[in-house]
Amino acid sequence: MKKIIQLTLVFTLAASTLVAQFPGGGRPSGAGGQQNMNIGHLYGKIVDDKTGKGIDGAIVQLIGNKFDTVTKKMKQVILNTQITKAVGDFSFENLSVFGNFQLKVSSLGYKPLAQTVGFGMKMPPAGGNFQQMMGMIDKDLGNIKLTGDSTTLAAVTVTSSSKPLLELGIDRKIFTVDKNLNSTGQTAAEVMRNIPSLSVDIDGNVTLRNAAPTLFVDGRPTTLTLDQIPADIIDKVELITNPSAKFDASGGTAGILNIILKKNKKIGYNGGIRTGIDSRGKVNLGGDINLRQNKINLGLSANLNEFKSLSSSSIDRENLLTFAPNNVNTFMNSVNDGQFKFFRGSLDIFLDNRNTITIAANYNRGRFESEQNQRVDSIIKQNFSSYNLINNFSNREFENLGTQLSFKHNFAKNGHNISADFNFNSSNSNGSSQIKIQTYTPEAFVKGNPLLQLNNSTGDNRFYTFQTDYENPLTDDSKLEAGLRAAIRDNSSINDQFRFNNNTGKYELVPGISSRYKFHDEVWAAYTTYSFKKGKWSYLLGLRVESSNYQGTLLNSKGQDSLKFNVTFPLSLFPSVFTTYKLTDKQDLQLNYTRKINRPNFFQLMPFPDYSDPQNVNIGNAGLQPEFTNSFELSYNNTYKKNANFLASLYFKHTSNLITRYVYRDVNELIPGDSAYFSTFINANYSFATGLELTNKMAVTKSWDMTANLNIFSSSLRADLPGEQFSNNLVSWFGKVINNFKLKKSWSIQLSGDYQARTVLPPGGGGLGGGRGGFGGGGGMMWGGGPQTTAQGYNLPRYGVDLAIRKDWTWKNGQTGSLTLSMNDIFKTQLFQSYSESAFFIQTSERRRDPQVLRINFSYRFGKFDASLFKRKSTKSDPSSGMTDMMSQ
């Protein structure tokens, strides 16, 4: 199977060609194709020629062609008539995007005005910017002055098409989740497994080019984890490999993973319900409803997701620097069972054609129980000396609230706008775990009393974000952008460790291994970018300034301050330069540079040990410094034929003060007279990462399209560890293939597979957390699972294949349904193995989790399914627009 996946890594890519169906007005009313193209929107303001004030009561008529069923010919008719409001606003919706219209305006005391308006620019080349064209569907005619002269407005190009699974741009990839069959009924962690360029480990931790990306939701930071976001509420995922100065400088060695949640913009009402069950008897339920009428757009959704995760693992460790050869072999099985509920609501208030207020909120609550059983065999001088049986039972509950309030004003000039928003995210969790360690002789006789340990933990996180953005297209070929941002975070954690006293028969607090901690973190930023064109050259120049302050506080048993430390990161500049050369209408070449920072997080800084695993103790390092990365990328994009696209990117990253793990041996305060291995973080000297990423999508046949992604990279790392120097160099590669087949009678199949060659363990935290090991965040579950992340090891090769089949139905009155059957890791080949070493031990591990889980899901949608009205006031505030707009001009 490994050879099959390797051989099928053929490079193909498709940028969906958006094809116009039939000229406007040239088809009888009721023809399906023309009805679906009635998505145009024209609006503006009628003002006095001298004062510039809006005219109340002006009569505005829109005249166009309509098919006469009697004469069988086209004839001119009045399509709509409106009377302007006090401010002079008018708005015409549900217009055909093909053909021209006559706009006639009259008002008492003013000369009548007539002018031609419409949507009729040239068709874009294959692979054209889909999002930019969606924004152009919405046309602001500006301030129309009632004088004797008519002003001819420029026409607009509009095309429409269903969104493809994957859109490839020279600066980002956009993945449409609805088109992905394998993640139906699951969470965002499973969505990431089917996105090119992303590698996902056994715990759902995500890496991009062997580093952890920064997670955004709707363009803003979040306290949610990937396994807390239902896949069914996600519209699309943006992957930005080298963000410009407009985006956060934090994140360092990787890019941005922006999850955009669904937000319906259709006139009228529509909604849907969905349900599913897996082979372990766990169900998922969900529903949504949207109402768009007049100045209000209201959306509500609710989801319930249950899960049951099974995993098994083994670890073989050879301990060095001991009085005799010493081996420890560990065998483990675990069961994780739980559920979470997700509720979301959003309200758009269109004050007028140019001013919009948006209020959105989501609430997430869940719980889970986990039981882990281990057997640890001790071998001394090749003789089996004893073994431990370890039982760890834990339960945890979490709660997450996210809110957003935003305002956007569009000026009369298209693309000229200013926006401001406030985001608040809150999460808290609490839980407990009970650990029992019993030692046995080789003959299975009990050896001494068991070690009984109890852990009670709580965590609380508050995240405030304030942001304002300004955009001004100075000319047709230049644009100025600027913004301000403040991010403030408050976090507290209590982790109390108790040990059972056999003399008193009670659990007693062990202060030396317990921790009570809180921190306050602030990041202040400002940015500006200037983009312009000169012939075939396009430029985007940007500069971001950031300053941050971190304050950590150790609390005593009464919750009062007892010890503080501050880490202030000085004012730093983060430039970005993007240069694009248009080789032909179908080919672009881009070179870009950015500087980024990766500040150590709460758990990496917290200087207190976590004894939840007595054999592997984790502890932070309050002396960590931020790491800085200089990133270069050269990209080539070629839409070489219809529905085919090839993207090649050569990248280089140099990181100084790289944050990486370090393992040392010290006294175990949990067991007097014993020692333990402590895993902490240090700043390595530097690291280099160089790679070539190739992505290709094409239609192999009319019913089969294939996307293939290959990333070949070299990692080099050097660290001056206490008492030794260490370096790690390795060339590796990662590949992924996604096949989509459209069969007869609305059947479709998706077959995807990935292969990860041997690779250096990723530096830092090991990936963007998404697995159940980090479920709920904060307090107690802070270190997650998976292999040790250190400069002293590597992951072994792995591969896997997923399969999904779907049947779609379309009924009357806009009703649709779909039934999806899917299975992950169908050949049970996803075995995660790693090797790590230090001056104290050599260790190999392997782990398998949740292979061959069968899922069946059904969804039903109702309401009006005409194409959406893509309002400029809405689409321009969509985080997906970004810098693609300029680079594709």
Side-chain angles (χ1 to χ4, degrees), residues 292-308:
R292 170 74 186 276
Q293 187 173 10
N294 298 326
K295 294 186 177 183
I296 298 296
N297 183 39
L298 175 66
L300 300 171
S301 67
N303 292 268
L304 167 68
N305 286 67
E306 295 182 340
F307 62 86
K308 184 176 184 180

Side-chain angles (χ1 to χ4, degrees), residues 99-359:
N100 294 322
F101 304 93
Q102 284 291 317
L103 184 72
K104 293 187 176 182
V105 185
S106 61
S107 181
L108 185 64
Y110 293 92
K111 295 180 180 180
L113 177 146
Q115 63 186 38
T116 302
V117 296
F119 308 85
M121 242 162 58
K122 296 179 182 178
M123 277 291 295
N129 190 311
F130 180 79
Q131 292 178 332
Q132 186 183 29
M133 290 184 290
M134 288 300 96
M136 294 167 64
I137 291 175
D138 199 42
K139 177 64 177 178
D140 187 346
L141 300 179
N143 293 336
I144 299 177
K145 300 176 181 180
L146 282 189
T147 64
D149 298 327
S150 62
T151 302
T152 303
L153 298 183
V156 179
T157 293
V158 178
T159 56
S160 180
S161 172
S162 62
K163 290 184 286 187
L165 172 69
L166 180 68
E167 294 180 66
L168 291 179
I170 202 162
D171 67 316
R172 71 186 65 197
K173 302 180 182 73
I174 303 172
F175 185 83
T176 304
V177 176
D178 274 347
K179 302 291 184 178
N180 182 52
L181 310 187
N182 280 306
S183 60
T184 304
Q186 301 189 67
T187 67
E190 283 72 30
V191 172
M192 304 307 151
R193 298 182 191 277
N194 289 279
I195 297 181
S197 304
L198 294 182
S199 177
V200 185
D201 73 7
I202 192 170
D203 289 305
N205 297 311
V206 177
T207 56
L208 168 64
R209 297 176 176 175
N210 206 39
T214 300
L215 177 64
F216 281 5
V217 173
D218 287 335
R220 297 294 183 264
T222 181
T223 55
L224 290 169
T225 59
L226 291 175
D227 59 357
Q228 295 174 355
I229 305 174
D232 294 321
I233 71 168
I234 301 175
D235 179 25
K236 53 192 172 185
V237 178
E238 287 187 333
L239 201 58
I240 307 174
T241 55
N242 201 19
S244 73
K246 183 176 180 178
F247 299 90
D248 280 4
S250 304
T253 57
I256 291 176
L257 193 63
N258 184 27
I259 295 176
I260 300 174
L261 303 182
K262 291 179 179 177
K263 187 174 184 180
N264 217 319
K265 304 181 183 73
K266 298 177 181 178
I267 296 293
Y269 74 92
N270 54 79
I273 56 175
R274 49 194 174 271
T275 184
I277 189 170
D278 64 26
S279 53
R280 293 173 180 169
K282 297 300 179 179
V283 302
N284 67 84
L285 300 169
D288 62 85
I289 185 72
N290 193 87
L291 175 65
R292 170 74 186 276
Q293 187 173 10
N294 298 326
K295 294 186 177 183
I296 298 296
N297 183 39
L298 175 66
L300 300 171
S301 67
N303 292 268
L304 167 68
N305 286 67
E306 295 182 340
F307 62 86
K308 184 176 184 180
S309 178
L310 308 177
S311 66
S312 61
S313 63
S314 65
I315 302 174
D316 296 329
R317 173 183 291 185
E318 178 184 357
N319 292 317
L320 309 175
L321 302 180
T322 57
F323 67 92
N326 184 338
N327 292 81
V328 178
N329 301 324
T330 303
F331 307 92
M332 180 174 61
N333 291 285
S334 64
V335 179
N336 196 357
D337 200 338
Q339 64 168 234
F340 72 92
K341 306 175 185 68
F342 192 100
F343 304 93
R344 178 172 172 81
S346 64
L347 175 65
D348 294 317
I349 304 173
F350 306 113
L351 301 177
D352 53 41
N353 287 338
R354 295 172 186 162
N355 295 280
T356 304
I357 294 177
T358 298
I359 304 170

Side-chain angles (χ1 to χ4, degrees), residues 346-635:
S346 64
L347 175 65
D348 294 317
I349 304 173
F350 306 113
L351 301 177
D352 53 41
N353 287 338
R354 295 172 186 162
N355 295 280
T356 304
I357 294 177
T358 298
I359 304 170
N362 57 263
Y363 177 74
N364 189 5
R365 184 169 186 172
R367 61 171 179 80
F368 70 90
E369 296 179 348
S370 176
E371 183 171 11
Q372 187 180 91
N373 292 293
Q374 300 181 54
R375 173 174 171 141
V376 182
D377 293 342
S378 296
I379 302 171
I380 300 177
K381 293 183 179 180
Q382 298 182 349
N383 294 317
F384 181 33
S385 62
S386 65
Y387 69 92
N388 291 334
L389 293 183
I390 304 175
N391 175 263
N392 186 338
F393 178 81
S394 63
N395 62 79
R396 179 159 297 278
E397 295 183 351
F398 72 90
E399 190 175 37
N400 192 298
L401 173 67
T403 61
Q404 181 185 55
L405 174 63
S406 64
F407 170 77
K408 183 160 189 177
H409 171 72
N410 291 307
F411 297 96
K413 181 169 58 175
N414 195 28
H416 187 195
N417 63 79
I418 188 171
S419 64
D421 62 69
F422 167 70
N423 293 262
F424 171 70
N425 286 275
S426 167
S427 66
N428 61 77
S429 65
N430 63 84
S432 66
S433 63
Q434 294 178 309
I435 302 174
K436 177 182 179 182
I437 305 175
Q438 179 65 66
T439 304
Y440 296 84
T441 66
E443 297 78 22
F445 293 111
V446 173
K447 186 178 179 180
N449 292 321
L451 173 65
L452 301 178
Q453 182 181 345
L454 174 65
N455 165 257
N456 290 329
S457 61
T458 61
D460 185 83
N461 191 6
R462 300 286 185 271
F463 202 166
Y464 310 85
T465 305
F466 306 84
Q467 182 156 333
T468 181
D469 298 285
Y470 174 75
E471 296 183 20
N472 186 3
L474 304 175
T475 67
D476 290 341
D477 293 328
S478 64
K479 181 166 69 172
L480 176 69
E481 297 183 65
L484 301 172
R485 185 174 185 271
I488 301 172
R489 183 171 49 168
D490 290 296
N491 188 296
S492 64
S493 176
I494 297 176
N495 194 354
D496 288 335
Q497 300 280 355
F498 300 84
R499 190 172 62 188
F500 187 78
N501 188 324
N502 291 298
N503 296 323
T504 63
K506 297 180 180 179
Y507 281 96
E508 297 178 353
L509 179 68
V510 184
I513 62 175
S514 300
S515 65
R516 295 184 171 219
Y517 186 82
K518 69 178 182 180
F519 77 81
H520 177 79
D521 186 21
E522 299 177 0
V523 179
W524 304 87
Y527 78 89
T528 183
T529 65
Y530 176 64
S531 52
F532 61 97
K533 285 182 62 176
K534 292 289 185 181
K536 292 187 175 183
W537 292 89
S538 298
Y539 303 90
L540 175 64
L541 309 177
L543 179 65
R544 189 178 187 90
V545 181
E546 287 195 356
S547 177
S548 67
N549 179 63
Y550 178 98
Q551 182 182 77
T553 305
L554 175 64
L555 307 175
N556 59 27
S557 59
K558 296 181 180 180
Q560 299 173 342
D561 296 358
S562 61
L563 178 66
K564 291 186 177 182
F565 73 92
N566 290 287
V567 181
T568 300
F569 301 125
L571 196 69
S572 300
L573 301 179
F574 302 96
S576 66
V577 179
F578 286 72
T579 302
T580 304
Y581 180 70
K582 197 169 189 62
L583 299 169
T584 67
D585 288 341
K586 298 182 179 180
Q587 299 181 77
D588 296 293
L589 188 67
Q590 184 185 94
L591 175 65
N592 60 59
Y593 161 76
T594 64
R595 184 174 188 255
K596 298 295 181 181
I597 186 175
N598 186 26
R599 302 177 181 90
N601 63 35
F602 165 57
F603 302 120
Q604 293 171 333
L605 287 169
M606 189 176 72
F608 314 112
D610 171 33
Y611 282 88
S612 57
D613 181 354
Q615 304 299 316
N616 300 281
V617 184
N618 292 280
I619 185 170
N621 176 5
L624 279 179
Q625 295 298 311
E627 59 184 36
F628 289 90
T629 299
N630 290 292
S631 180
F632 299 85
E633 188 167 331
L634 177 65
S635 298

Side-chain angles (χ1 to χ4, degrees), residues 696-710:
N696 202 15
K697 183 173 186 268
M698 72 173 185
V700 182
T701 67
K702 290 183 178 180
S703 59
W704 173 22
D705 67 76
M706 180 171 65
T707 301
N709 174 263
L710 176 66

